[in-house]
Amino acid sequence: MDDPPGWIAEFTVTPRQFAAHLDVITGSGRTPLTIGALAGHLAGRAPLPPRPVLLTFDDGFADLPGPTAATLAGRGLPATAYLTTGAIAPGGRSLLPPAPMMTLAQAAGLADHGMEVGSHTVTHAQLDTLSTRDLTVELRSSRAVLEDTLGRPVRHLAYPHGYNSAKVRRLAARAGYETATAVRHALSSDRDERYRIARLIVRRTHTVADVQAWLSGRGVRTAPYRDAPRTVAWRWYRRGRALLRGPEFAG
């Protein structure tokens, strides 16, 4: 959108920027695919097409089933949408600040535009700070709501803001997810981990040249790699803060 809420503005592009980024992707010679296709490859069931690229959209903002999905479909670009069920279900509760959101009833229509649906938890909390009980609810309830709505299995998860840990990844697998995407601001690879697949965050300041560089494998590192000491320290700080304040928004 052109005028997003302030809290999400950093991670928002204008319709004009979005179209320009997609034009770079369609002109790159890369093959777009959904997370389901990548999962099949990482599990050894099927090879990937040459030069693959995966587009993902988190949360479930109001533009997703409308102009965003239409713009993607108009270019023949499949994608994956990770939905925060507490923010889109009737009577739901989430930690997302106020913003125009899609509805749960619109989730089924995303498939008509070539979009696969995955879970982005219930409340968008920092998963690596939650108790085992609360974490299990976030993982299982969101998946159950989406499966009831769509009438088909939901096998894929995106960690809110990428926050995860060994415990989170273990419980995600136990909850029945086949993959989980993190952030890491890195390129994925054949050696990437199924339960923290690397992604690149598109910010408002990213240019067409940035997208072109990523598509050429330049400008960022490639996963997998070990967490940096500051990442580990930040996780422990957030865990301590959550003990005092309770679950917090991952953003």
Side-chain angles (χ1 to χ4, degrees), residues 154-237:
V154 171
R155 302 291 191 193
H156 309 292
L157 168 73
Y159 306 122
H161 211 66
Y163 289 143
N164 70 95
S165 64
K167 173 184 173 180
V168 173
R169 296 191 293 273
R170 184 174 64 254
L171 290 183
R174 192 177 299 170
Y177 292 103
E178 189 175 357
T179 69
T181 51
V183 175
R184 317 210 82 187
H185 199 67
L187 296 168
S188 188
S189 74
D190 281 340
R191 298 178 296 105
D192 209 353
E193 302 167 76
R194 273 202 297 157
Y195 289 98
R196 58 171 172 178
I197 296 168
R199 295 190 292 172
L200 295 158
I201 291 181
V202 179
R203 289 181 163 86
R204 199 171 189 87
T205 53
H206 283 131
T207 65
V208 164
D210 291 322
V211 178
Q212 289 172 327
W214 296 341
L215 291 167
S216 299
R218 295 182 285 108
V220 288
R221 67 194 304 183
T222 300
Y225 54 85
R226 296 186 63 164
D227 288 338
R230 65 179 181 180
T231 299
V232 177
W234 175 236
R235 180 181 302 134
W236 281 106
Y237 169 76

Side-chain angles (χ1 to χ4, degrees), residues 13-221:
V13 297
T14 66
R16 183 175 179 179
Q17 285 176 295
F18 185 52
H21 290 174
L22 295 186
D23 287 342
V24 170
I25 293 169
T26 56
S28 69
R30 288 193 170 271
T31 303
L33 58 143
T34 63
I35 189 67
L38 178 59
H41 172 69
L42 293 176
R45 293 193 299 266
L48 286 178
R51 295 173 55 78
V53 62
L54 179 63
L55 305 178
T56 66
F57 298 85
D58 290 1
D59 301 331
F61 293 106
D63 65 277
L64 184 61
T68 297
T71 303
L72 290 164
R75 289 166 171 76
L77 293 172
T80 300
Y82 294 105
L83 305 181
T84 306
T85 55
I88 65 174
R93 180 188 65 84
S94 82
L95 297 171
L96 283 167
M101 303 300 293
M102 63 178 282
T103 66
L104 183 62
Q106 291 176 301
L110 293 174
D112 296 336
H113 291 288
M115 300 188 80
E116 184 174 19
V117 173
S119 167
H120 201 41
T121 74
V122 179
T123 69
H124 207 282
Q126 298 178 18
L127 297 184
D128 57 346
T129 68
L130 300 181
S131 68
T132 299
R133 177 182 177 182
D134 289 346
L135 176 56
T136 300
V137 170
E138 291 279 353
L139 298 174
R140 294 182 180 273
S141 295
S142 58
R143 183 180 174 211
V145 167
L146 291 172
E147 289 184 337
D148 286 347
T149 299
L150 300 172
R152 57 180 176 271
V154 171
R155 302 291 191 193
H156 309 292
L157 168 73
Y159 306 122
H161 211 66
Y163 289 143
N164 70 95
S165 64
K167 173 184 173 180
V168 173
R169 296 191 293 273
R170 184 174 64 254
L171 290 183
R174 192 177 299 170
Y177 292 103
E178 189 175 357
T179 69
T181 51
V183 175
R184 317 210 82 187
H185 199 67
L187 296 168
S188 188
S189 74
D190 281 340
R191 298 178 296 105
D192 209 353
E193 302 167 76
R194 273 202 297 157
Y195 289 98
R196 58 171 172 178
I197 296 168
R199 295 190 292 172
L200 295 158
I201 291 181
V202 179
R203 289 181 163 86
R204 199 171 189 87
T205 53
H206 283 131
T207 65
V208 164
D210 291 322
V211 178
Q212 289 172 327
W214 296 341
L215 291 167
S216 299
R218 295 182 285 108
V220 288
R221 67 194 304 183

